[in-house]
Structures are given as C-alpha cells and as structure tokens.
Amino acid sequence: MLEQLTLQDTVLDAAREVFETMIFMDIETSSDACPSITGESLLGSITFKGDLEGCLAVCVSQSCADRIAKNMLGMEADESLTIEEACDAIGEVANMVMGSIKSRLQPLYPTLEVSIPSVITGRELKNTLGERAVKTIVCAWLDGQEAAEFSFLYRKSASQKTQ
Amino acid sequence: MAKSLMIVDDSATMRKIIMRTVRMSGLEFDRTEEAGNGKEALEKLQASPVDIVLCDINMPEMSGTEMVKEARKIDCCQATKIIMVSTESAEELINSVMADGANGYITKPFTPEKFQEKLAPFMN
Ligand SMILES: [Mg+2]
C-alpha cells in the first residue's frame, strides 16, 4: 500500500530534482495552507497506467510558467516568450517530474506506462480523477516567491482486485 | 573531424534545452538538425545522415524505441550513434533499447556533465 506520507515526499523529491537540475529554482513546501494560484494559470498533466492508474499535474500561474520556461531555455527575464512555448515547457516539467516519480516508485510498481503530457490554460484549474481517487497534493514555493501545486492522483488499476 | 548532430524530441522546448546543454557541455558540432518524432527523424536521416542522434522515447507518431529498430535496418544509419534521452529510467527498458541498437542512454533531468560523459566517446 502506498502511504500518503511517503508519496508526499516522493512527489516533492521528484519535483525538487527537476527544478534544481533543469530549471535552477529552489523549491520549498509551504507549511501553511496551499498558496492559492489566482488569475490565468497553466496546468500540465500526464496520465499513467499499469500497476497504478492515475495522473500527475503541475499547476502554476502564467507569470510563474513564463519564469520556468525562461529559466529552462536560458532566456533573459525581459525576452519575450509565446504562450505555446510556456505551455510546452510546463508539459515537459510534468513529463520529467512524472519520470522521476516513476523511477522512485519502480520497486513497488514496476509497470507504469506514461502518456504524452498535455497542458491547459485558464482559471482555477484542477487535476481530477473522479471521486474514488487517492490524492496527494504538494504545495510549494519556487525561489520563495511563486506558488506551484503538484498533484498526484491515482486509483487501483482494473487489473488489481480490491479487497 | 567535425561531427553532425540530430535532436529528436516531440517538445520544441526540450529540443532547445538539449541543444543548450550540449553547448554547455563543451561539445561542438558543425551541423545540427531537429525532428519532432521518430518518423520525421528517419526521413531526415535518409536525406542527410548525421553522426550522432539524441533521441527521446515517448513521442507521438513514432516512439524512440521504434525509431532505433527502424534506423538499424537502413544503410545510411548503420554508423550513426544513437543516444536515448528520456524520462524513462526502468532498467528493463534501457536494456531492451540498447539491445535494439542504441549506443547510450541519458535520463531527464540531465546536466551538461552527463552529455559530456556520454557523447565524448563518439566525438573522435
Ligand atoms: Mg517526449
């Protein structure tokens, strides 16, 4: 059984690995309630199936997505970036965080097949998987100033019998 | 002798990041190409082969694992070194794609040092 507590750490460690190695931003969990992401935002998500079935999503404000994309691409803060580029970057962040989670879950769940990431933009975006989903939400601050929410949702796959 | 490189990834952002990381690693190429999936990569390789291919695995149209198998059937790609660059890190998958003809494997997220280590042996 996947413990909620360890899963929180797994998601955070995976996110930290990606943000520190490729985005050059540090990441700290928020001790209070989740910092809210208001206004236009981006939600990058990726689904997985196999020993576990569900989805992982990364949600950030549009300005935060811009910063992430510019950091990843080595662009200056005042350079202009298209919304497509920001979306593509957030999709890749979701892809890499999921890849890192997957390798950490490997001993417990060796077969996890991941999809190609997709990104949506809008307001008050939510990662959902129906009522029965087991949810792990990690709220974090990037470089101490921008909020990011990582949500890992799963349900037992059809091939697994529920007791 | 100067080498040529192709970066295959469905994300344009990731292609740019890989390009930048290759540059940061100190490796130099006289020609670089890009492709958004395995199928496009094979078409470009047949028209104009390169020395080294950095290839993603999860891509629409044709995945990196299929691309490796196909590339090894084509004359122009026999000498091409194909290094996978993927978020996938399962040992089983790495072993199988290496058995199919890949020459190396880099997992995302990566560092310039990783590219230096994995590509340097093919730069001479
Ligand atoms: Mg990909």
Side-chain angles (χ1 to χ4, degrees), chain A residues 52-72:
Chain A
L52 270 185
E53 200 176 292
C55 54
L56 167 97
V58 182
C59 187
V60 291
S61 70
Q62 195 171 323
S63 66
C64 182
D66 257 46
R67 254 191 95 197
I68 290 173
K70 285 177 180 173
N71 274 20
M72 285 171 88

Side-chain angles (χ1 to χ4, degrees), chain A residues 127-153:
Chain A
N127 183 17
T128 54
L129 192 72
E131 294 213 329
R132 293 275 199 79
V134 183
K135 297 179 187 173
T136 300
I137 314 271
V138 174
C139 300
W141 288 105
L142 304 175
D143 275 355
Q145 44 180 316
E146 301 262 24
E149 189 185 283
F150 300 87
S151 50
F152 183 90
L153 276 47

Side-chain angles (χ1 to χ4, degrees), chain A residues 46 48 56 93-102 112 114 152:
Chain A
I46 188 158
F48 51 88
L56 167 97
V93 171
N95 190 23
M96 288 190 286
V97 173
M98 185 60 218
S100 181
I101 292 174
K102 183 179 157 172
L112 285 184
V114 299
F152 183 90

Side-chain angles (χ1 to χ4, degrees), chain A residues 92 95, chain B residues 9-10 56 58-59 108:
Chain A
E92 274 310 297
N95 190 23
Chain B
D9 201 299
D10 54 325
D56 183 23
N58 288 337
M59 294 183 287
K108 295 175 188 165

Side-chain angles (χ1 to χ4, degrees), chain A residues 6-62:
Chain A
T6 39
L7 199 46
Q8 280 265 328
D9 286 340
T10 303
V11 173
L12 179 63
D13 290 347
R16 185 168 278 143
E17 183 190 4
V18 172
F19 275 79
E20 288 179 355
T21 322
M22 309 250 326
I23 312 174
F24 315 105
M25 279 174 131
D26 64 55
I27 180 167
E28 287 307 327
T29 48
S30 144
S31 47
D32 316 321
C34 268
S36 61
I37 296 162
T38 50
E40 278 299 310
S41 49
L42 278 74
L43 183 113
S45 64
I46 188 158
T47 63
F48 51 88
K49 58 183 186 185
D51 293 338
L52 270 185
E53 200 176 292
C55 54
L56 167 97
V58 182
C59 187
V60 291
S61 70
Q62 195 171 323

